[in-house]
Amino acid sequence: MSIGERLKQLVSPLRGTPLSPVKRGMYSYMRDSDGRLSRVHLRVEPDGQGTMLVNASTAARLTRSGVLLVKGLLEGVAEEKLFTAARRAFRGTTKAAVHQDLVRLTSLLDEMTEPTGAYPITSMSQFMPTPRESQLIAPFKADLSFDTVHSMDPILDKLWTIGVPHITLLAPKDVNQDVLVHAIEHAEDLGMITGVRGRGTDLNRGTLLERMGQAGLDHLTVLHAASTAELHDGLCGPGDHANARATIARSGELEICPVVQIPLTVSTCRELEETLSDLEEMQVQHLSVFALATTGDASEAGDTEAIHSQALPGLCQQLEALASETNTSLMWAPPVTADGTQSAAEQICAGPRCTGDVTVRVEPDGSVIPARGPWMAAGNLLHDDWETIWSHSAFRVFRERIAEPRACAMCPGLAICESGCPADPDGWTSDGVTKNA
């Protein structure tokens, strides 16, 4: 049983006023458990329900009463005062019920802060209610196209204000190291969980890794196409295989959580088993995967590396089985529609638009792009009201897909199917797959 399921049982939905006793928004805390500090985010939705994230790696859903009690626990409020607040908000509350819930919630917090080394959550179905159960104020993560010249502080500030606790900076070629390190420092100062994604060649430069670690970087996603250097370098650039492996090893030494991003193409799938075995020897525990996909003949997509949609479910099933055998966590990004105007190598280096369904893409100019579908700006983070952006039709379609995932009998139980069949091009990304190149 998941933590979220247990918490839903632990905290009873007390009857009471429909008004939320806790103001909507994002709350950030540091919790000391036996000398070990953990970062806790509590996000309260408009209806008073909430989500608690610990180090962005474990999460639990909260009822309105659960939000009130957890917030009090994290702020050190005395039990008597919490009982008074709960009694005002929820009719029929008793001291015994509040005490019992506080004991169980304290135990749950202790369990969630155990050092499991888990990577930040990317699958909405892992912990979130459907939009029909609880209205969401914002996504839980943003992938940011990196601006190599201008400060990203205004975008980071706005994301934190609207309730986004987790960001990943998409490092381009020739990244400005000073601007990148400053962005990490600023996100850390805000209380965000912060990651960087890029090629080993672009990350393993001078003292950049050490500087990012000192700035507070939480996780580093490194592109790794294949176990053999020849295949990897052909897709990711000359010498990148050695740089990728060095980056993975050094990030672990610096206590930055290493994540390997694997592109699924015709060639890389031939070496899939060897690649995962190789990564297991390197003690890599977290994989982020995306497929370069097409609905027609691969040659029509401009490159013979694109995988046909009908082959995707079987490949996903194979990869999930391999990951299970190696006890590796697997995170799926929406498939990328092969672009006939660019090579597979260009699209692979660009990577997926977003790393998961709890994520939005934000461009340097403030444009906000949904995780799936055509490249469509739902609005501008720096100029438009967030409520207007969040109510855009692109996000309504997105929420409908999450609310009613499409399962089929051919490959039941696949994690990638939670937000729709991988063979369905309506759920892929297209038009702009190389925006972060």
Side-chain angles (χ1 to χ4, degrees):
M1 181 181 292
S2 69
I3 287 176
E5 290 170 336
R6 269 182 289 170
L7 186 60
K8 194 172 182 181
Q9 293 180 356
L10 287 173
V11 184
S12 56
L14 301 173
R15 293 176 298 169
T17 171
L19 298 177
S20 170
V22 179
K23 184 179 179 181
R24 61 179 281 180
M26 178 70 70
Y27 301 85
S28 180
Y29 306 92
M30 295 299 294
R31 185 171 189 265
D32 189 333
S33 178
D34 297 327
R36 184 178 62 252
L37 290 178
S38 297
R39 193 178 321 190
V40 182
H41 292 98
L42 175 63
R43 200 177 87 173
V44 184
E45 308 297 347
D47 60 2
Q49 297 186 63
T51 302
M52 176 173 61
L53 298 94
V54 178
N55 296 326
S57 61
T58 57
R61 291 168 50 188
L62 296 164
T63 61
R64 286 160 46 232
S65 58
V67 167
L68 176 64
L69 296 180
V70 164
K71 186 172 185 291
L73 277 175
L74 293 170
E75 295 176 356
V77 178
E79 184 171 326
E80 186 65 31
K81 289 186 177 181
L82 278 177
F83 166 66
T84 300
R87 184 176 57 185
R88 289 174 179 171
F90 305 101
R91 294 190 299 271
T93 303
T94 66
K95 283 189 176 181
V98 170
H99 176 76
Q100 186 177 45
D101 283 343
L102 287 174
V103 169
R104 292 174 176 175
L105 284 168
T106 301
S107 176
L108 185 65
L109 268 170
D110 290 339
E111 180 181 346
M112 291 176 70
T113 53
E114 283 295 314
T116 60
Y119 171 80
I121 297 165
T122 55
S123 173
M124 180 173 286
S125 64
Q126 283 180 273
F127 64 96
M128 284 179 49
T130 68
R132 295 181 179 181
E133 293 180 52
S134 179
Q135 182 184 358
L136 305 176
I137 60 173
F140 281 88
K141 184 172 179 289
D143 288 346
L144 310 182
S145 291
F146 192 74
D147 191 324
T148 59
V149 179
H150 301 99
S151 170
M152 301 191 72
D153 290 3
I155 288 177
L156 294 172
D157 291 341
K158 186 61 179 290
L159 287 170
W160 180 253
T161 299
I162 65 176
V164 177
H166 180 194
I167 60 110
T168 294
L169 300 163
L170 306 174
K173 299 177 182 178
D174 302 319
V175 60
N176 185 315
Q177 297 189 24
D178 292 336
V179 176
L180 179 61
V181 170
H182 173 79
I184 296 169
E185 290 175 337
H186 190 70
E188 172 72 15
D189 290 341
L190 290 171
M192 287 177 157
I193 298 293
T194 308
V196 168
R197 182 269 184 194
R199 298 186 309 161
T201 299
D202 303 314
L203 300 172
N204 188 34
R205 296 170 52 197
T207 60
L208 178 58
L209 290 174
E210 286 78 8
R211 293 180 65 193
M212 291 193 297
Q214 293 169 1
L217 186 66
D218 294 294
H219 62 88
L220 188 65
T221 301
V222 183
L223 183 62
H224 190 287
S227 57
T228 59
E230 182 179 2
L231 175 55
H232 175 101
D233 289 351
L235 294 171
C236 304
D240 188 68
H241 187 264
N243 278 313
R245 295 175 68 87
T247 302
I248 294 166
R250 290 179 65 194
S251 61
E253 295 169 359
L254 295 169
E255 297 185 351
I256 302 170
C257 179
V259 182
V260 164
Q261 187 168 75
I262 299 178
L264 296 184
T265 71
V266 172
S267 294
T268 62
C269 284
R270 296 193 188 109
E271 291 192 8
L272 207 50
E273 189 169 350
E274 293 82 358
T275 297
L276 263 67
S277 177
D278 186 40
L279 293 174
E280 184 182 19
E281 291 183 6
M282 296 177 64
Q283 299 183 327
V284 172
Q285 297 179 316
H286 309 287
L287 302 180
S288 173
V289 182
F290 71 98
L292 185 63
T294 181
T295 56
D297 182 75
S299 60
E300 296 176 3
D303 201 298
T304 56
E305 287 289 351
I307 298 173
H308 194 278
S309 58
Q310 294 179 358
L312 277 177
L315 287 172
C316 294
Q317 190 170 25
Q318 176 191 1
L319 183 54
E320 290 192 10
L322 289 171
S324 178
E325 291 174 3
T326 57
N327 198 29
T328 304
S329 69
L330 185 61
M331 298 154 288
W332 290 103
V336 173
T337 304
D339 182 351
T341 66
Q342 296 186 331
S343 69
E346 290 175 299
Q347 296 171 79
I348 286 169
C349 289
R353 181 190 305 169
C354 294
T355 49
D357 280 317
V358 298
T359 310
V360 294
R361 177 71 166 265
V362 181
E363 292 294 283
D365 66 356
S367 298
V368 180
I369 319 296
R372 294 175 182 262
W375 185 272
M376 177 190 302
N380 189 291
L381 191 68
L382 299 177
H383 306 303
D384 299 330
D385 176 72
W386 174 249
E387 297 292 343
T388 302
I389 297 174
W390 196 225
S391 62
H392 190 277
S393 59
F395 286 115
R396 287 201 299 271
V397 172
F398 160 73
R399 286 193 285 262
E400 288 171 2
R401 289 184 63 84
I402 300 301
E404 295 184 354
R406 307 172 191 176
C408 65
M410 295 185 62
C411 47
L414 292 186
I416 194 174
C417 299
E418 292 168 347
S419 298
C421 177
D424 182 3
D426 288 342
W428 300 355
T429 61
S430 59
D431 299 332
V433 295
T434 60
K435 291 292 183 179
N436 62 321

